[in-house]
Amino acid sequence: MPRLEAEESEEIKLNMTSMIDIVFQLLVFFVMTFNPPQYEGDFSVKMPLSSDAPADDIIEPPTVISVKLSAALDGALSNILVDSVPVDQVDLYGGLTKVIESKLASEGDPDKAHETEVDFDIARELKYSYTVAAIEAVSGKKEGDVVTKLINKIKFKDNSEKIQ
Amino acid sequence: MKFSKAKSSEILEGDLTPMIDMTFQLIAFFMLLINFSEVDRAEEISLPTSVLAVPPSAPPDYQIILNLEPGGMVIFAGERIPIEEISRELGLEVKSAAREGVYEPGDISVVIRSHENTETGTVQDLISVCQGQELESFALRVLNKVN
């Protein structure tokens, strides 16, 4: 019976060079394509089709606050009307928030205030950033780290030019 | 004159283990942070900012992201399309959503990423075109500004 020869105890060394090369190339790729994410948020807008929600199904229609935004020639915000009443010209957005707050407070019932809708009638020429600022003003306010939520149901009056 | 002794010709090998460990950790870090969802974001769109808008707590069942340029061109799936012609693309997308699940057009969320200098009328035109495809749930995307 042949005996197995004792194997030599040589240390096996793997060639790591190619792996390190690839690993560094991967690292360089990820570093170069690294793009720190910017946090984005949404304002939800419901634009139900006119055929939805037949009038018979609505037991109690929600309170609707009408907000009209007017534009200056350069597309900036020139005026805000809440239920046809102009808000404070000095601080348009702050004034809008105050008016919305007072209207919600007058509702009394918090649940009913929660159901209140704001219907925006926006001048077509108004730049979008002003529209977003107005939506923010009716959505709530942030003082320090304290966020007070006001309206979360927003609709737009259809001022679109019908495109076929 | 003294001569220095000839040095032994052994190859010096540093211990590469910690470096390889650290490199792999860096790769893992960057791989985890890479964000493939940004393919739908057009970098040239400068979003308006807001302190109140927060990211949605849960992703919608199905969403269509429309990037709107100030001139009225819509960037959708990497292509620039005039608003007047986006209706056909939206129709295909609604059909595609239906194939993937049982989504009604009303269940599809349309994310509008409009440039801050776009006229609001143009945004409303885009919303109107979407409504033509029975889409009714919209999200106006803004950049979250930290106070």
Side-chain angles (χ1 to χ4, degrees):
Chain A
M1 190 176 171
R3 283 185 186 178
L4 289 174
E5 290 180 8
E7 289 179 9
E8 291 178 13
S9 60
E10 275 185 8
E11 195 179 337
I12 299 170
K13 285 190 175 178
L14 294 173
N15 188 359
M16 306 283 277
T17 318
S18 50
M19 190 197 74
I20 295 172
D21 281 353
I22 289 180
V23 165
F24 269 108
Q25 284 191 28
L26 277 172
L27 186 62
V28 169
F29 168 76
F30 283 118
V31 169
M32 299 293 277
T33 57
F34 181 59
N35 187 13
Q38 290 182 310
Y39 291 102
E40 296 182 356
D42 292 335
F43 286 114
S44 295
V45 179
K46 266 284 187 196
M47 300 284 287
L49 304 171
S50 53
S51 58
D52 288 357
D56 296 344
D57 290 356
I58 301 172
I59 300 164
E60 189 180 355
T63 309
V64 177
I65 302 171
S66 170
V67 176
K68 184 170 183 171
L69 308 179
S70 306
L73 287 175
D74 60 352
L77 183 67
S78 63
N79 196 17
I80 299 178
L81 300 177
V82 180
D83 289 337
S84 305
V85 179
V87 302
D88 183 10
Q89 280 287 334
V90 179
D91 180 12
L92 285 170
Y93 299 121
L96 176 59
T97 305
K98 280 180 189 166
V99 173
I100 296 291
E101 271 184 309
S102 64
K103 283 190 178 287
L104 291 181
S106 66
E107 294 279 350
D109 183 3
D111 289 337
K112 203 177 174 191
H114 189 69
E115 293 295 318
T116 304
E117 285 182 5
V118 166
D119 195 355
F120 276 100
D121 179 5
I122 307 169
R124 285 187 57 85
E125 303 77 28
L126 187 68
K127 283 186 180 169
Y128 183 61
S129 55
Y130 297 98
T131 300
V132 167
I135 292 173
E136 184 185 66
V138 302
S139 298
K141 61 179 180 179
K142 189 171 185 181
E143 291 167 325
D145 289 336
V146 181
V147 175
T148 310
K149 295 211 170 192
L150 298 173
I151 301 283
N152 58 13
K153 291 193 171 180
I154 293 164
K155 286 168 70 177
F156 285 166
K157 186 182 173 189
D158 189 4
N159 289 337
S160 63
E161 291 173 351
K162 294 295 176 191
I163 298 170
Q164 297 301 319
Chain B
M1 190 175 173
K2 287 183 179 178
F3 289 96
S4 60
K5 289 180 182 175
K7 288 179 182 173
S8 60
S9 61
E10 282 181 7
I11 299 171
L12 290 175
E13 287 188 358
D15 187 5
L16 294 176
T17 316
M19 189 195 71
I20 295 172
D21 282 353
M22 201 187 70
T23 310
F24 271 112
Q25 286 193 29
L26 280 172
I27 287 179
F29 170 75
F30 284 114
M31 280 179 74
L32 288 174
L33 284 188
I34 198 165
N35 192 354
F36 291 106
S37 67
E38 287 187 5
V39 290
D40 286 326
R41 298 181 185 179
E43 294 295 326
E44 58 268 39
I45 300 291
S46 168
L47 295 176
T49 56
S50 168
V51 293
L52 289 181
V54 287
S57 53
D61 290 338
Y62 197 93
Q63 66 177 8
I64 299 173
I65 299 180
L66 301 174
N67 298 276
L68 183 59
E69 290 183 342
M73 296 292 280
V74 181
I75 302 172
F76 175 61
E79 289 186 32
R80 293 176 78 240
I81 305 165
I83 285 186
E84 304 83 42
E85 295 169 20
I86 196 72
S87 181
R88 182 179 156 273
E89 305 292 331
L90 289 173
L92 293 174
E93 195 69 21
V94 169
K95 283 179 186 166
S96 166
R99 275 198 299 273
E100 284 190 23
V102 287
Y103 308 123
E104 294 292 317
D107 295 331
I108 299 173
S109 175
V110 180
V111 178
I112 297 180
R113 299 181 79 254
S114 175
H115 193 284
E116 59 185 347
N117 289 336
T118 309
E119 289 186 354
T120 305
T122 311
V123 180
Q124 290 182 310
D125 290 344
L126 181 59
I127 289 175
S128 173
V129 171
C130 294
Q131 284 180 305
Q133 294 294 333
E134 300 184 3
L135 299 166
E136 53 183 37
S137 178
F138 298 90
L140 306 179
R141 184 139 298 176
V142 298
L143 202 60
N144 193 241
K145 183 174 70 178
V146 181
N147 253 352

